[in-house]
Structure formats: C-alpha cells, structure tokens
Amino acid sequence: MSLRRTLIWGLPTLAYAAFVRWYTDFGGPLDDDEIEVYLARLDTPDHSDEDRERIGRFMKTDTGRQFLMMNAIDYADNPPDVAGAEPGESAAKLMDRYMKHMYAELFKRACHPTLMGNAVGDAIDLVGVDDLETAERWDAGAVFRWRSRRTFCDIVTIPETAGRHEFKVAALDKTISYPIETQLNLGDPRALLGLLLLAAAALSDLLTTPTGRRR
C-alpha cells in the first residue's frame, strides 16, 4: 500500500480507535472492592442512608455498559435562598450553578446530554400515579449519556458535587431521574463517527487516485 493510501486510511482509523478508547469504559462491571471504596466515599453527611442504599444497589447490579439517565424536570416558581447563591436567584440561575460544575465533570469523562427540551403540554398518559395534579405538570426533559456506572460513581462521590447538588434541589419543585440501558440507540456517536470517517476516507482515496488508476 502506498504512503498516500496508508495516511488516508490509517489516520482516520487511529482517530476512531482513540475516540472509542476514550468514549468506552472497558473496565467491566464494578467489583466488590470498587463498590466498597465508593460506598466509603458516600459515607458523609451530604448523603443519606437512602442515597447510599440506592446507589449501592445500582453498583451491585452493574453490567459494565453505558447508560442513559432520563430526567423529568419541574422548576420551582419561588426557589428558596441557598448558601453560596445570591438571595432571590431564579431556578434557572440556581440550575446553572449546579450544571457549571456537572458539565465540566461530565464532558471530560465522555458523558454528555443527548436530548434536551422544554415541555409543550401536560402529561398525555398517566398510569398508577396517585397525585395526578402534580404528576401531569412538567417544565422540561433531558436525557444524559453516562459512560458507565463507574463514571457515575466517580462524579457523584466528588465532594464538590454534593455541595453543588443543593442548588439543583432548590431549583426544582420536583424531578424524576432514572437510568436505562439501551436496547436500541441509533444516535451512538461511535457508530456515527465511524461512518463519517469511513465515508471521508473513501472519498479522499477516490479523489486523490490518478484518473488512469480508477478501475
């Protein structure tokens, strides 16, 4: 293979391999020692026993795969004052304070939002919800991609995360967040990037091949 073709196909391959290595957690499911370390980090006044129990169950059922966190959001009309924020700050400002920290921690660990938007109506379908008046009203929704449960625990056990979480709590009247592991995900960046790099390399190879050799 010529140097030209080696570069055309080799550089995208290396770039894709580097991206997949960064974007994917190859560590497998959390082991018992890791779980104990994370539980010890959660043993602080900032985390309740219920928090530790809930996150503990989440760790012990780890599959090693990425997951998406589904978030239904209802902002507070009159959020309380919070230490570290200016008196009378809006829910949006308080949430910005929380997300400024979270985005930095998420992006450097290959975690990111995949879908965000404002609600354009009340809940269309409600089943098994007792408080109908509360459950039907939401302001926004968001879906975040997490590289793994290991990455999730890395972030939630950072001391600053617990402190910033108070801003999120004050900004919301209610929220529901729960994780899912995808059975179908047509928007996975690994697949999209692979297809784009493959197409770009093939096109570059075609355009730089002398006319007489395109047979």
Side-chain angles (χ1 to χ4, degrees):
M1 182 181 290
S2 67
L3 177 60
R4 174 187 63 82
R5 298 199 73 194
T6 298
L7 293 175
I8 287 176
W9 290 98
L11 291 178
T13 299
L14 290 175
Y16 182 72
F19 175 78
V20 171
R21 178 66 184 86
W22 170 71
Y23 199 77
T24 309
D25 187 337
F26 291 101
L30 290 164
D31 60 36
D32 292 340
D33 290 338
E34 288 179 293
I35 292 173
E36 289 303 317
V37 169
Y38 287 127
L39 287 176
R41 293 180 187 175
L42 291 169
D43 191 12
T44 69
D46 293 318
H47 299 96
S48 66
D49 291 339
E50 290 78 8
D51 289 337
R52 296 182 74 249
E53 182 180 354
R54 186 181 303 111
I55 295 175
R57 289 197 303 269
F58 190 47
M59 290 190 287
K60 291 173 183 176
T61 57
D62 188 16
T63 63
R65 297 180 56 199
Q66 69 173 0
F67 68 92
L68 301 179
M69 189 69 80
M70 317 293 288
N71 301 274
I73 301 164
D74 181 25
Y75 290 110
D77 294 327
N78 297 294
D81 293 336
V82 184
E86 297 296 328
E89 282 193 352
S90 66
K93 180 64 176 178
L94 290 169
M95 186 62 77
D96 285 344
R97 288 182 179 274
Y98 171 70
M99 293 307 302
K100 181 179 180 180
H101 163 74
M102 287 298 293
Y103 278 137
E105 299 298 333
L106 288 166
F107 288 148
K108 68 185 180 183
R109 294 176 175 85
C111 306
H112 55 82
T114 62
L115 178 67
M116 302 180 75
N118 295 323
V120 294
D122 292 340
I124 302 299
D125 197 7
L126 291 169
V127 177
V129 179
D130 294 330
D131 195 343
L132 180 62
E133 183 179 357
T134 299
E136 68 181 359
R137 295 181 58 255
W138 300 94
D139 290 323
V143 179
F144 279 73
R145 184 263 181 180
W146 291 79
R147 182 169 56 186
S148 65
R149 303 189 199 193
R150 179 177 292 104
T151 303
F152 173 81
C153 292
D154 283 338
I155 293 178
V156 300
T157 57
I158 297 172
E160 189 179 359
T161 299
R164 293 296 185 99
H165 192 258
E166 296 302 316
F167 297 135
K168 175 183 176 180
V169 172
L172 300 173
D173 272 342
K174 65 180 184 294
T175 187
I176 296 175
S177 299
Y178 63 93
I180 67 168
E181 287 189 356
T182 57
Q183 296 176 327
L184 175 66
N185 184 6
L186 299 179
D188 192 313
R190 287 166 292 192
L192 296 177
L193 180 62
L195 290 173
L196 287 174
L197 289 175
L198 179 63
L203 182 60
S204 297
D205 193 8
L206 177 64
L207 294 177
T208 58
T209 298
T211 303
R213 296 174 59 188
R214 296 180 189 173
R215 298 178 180 174

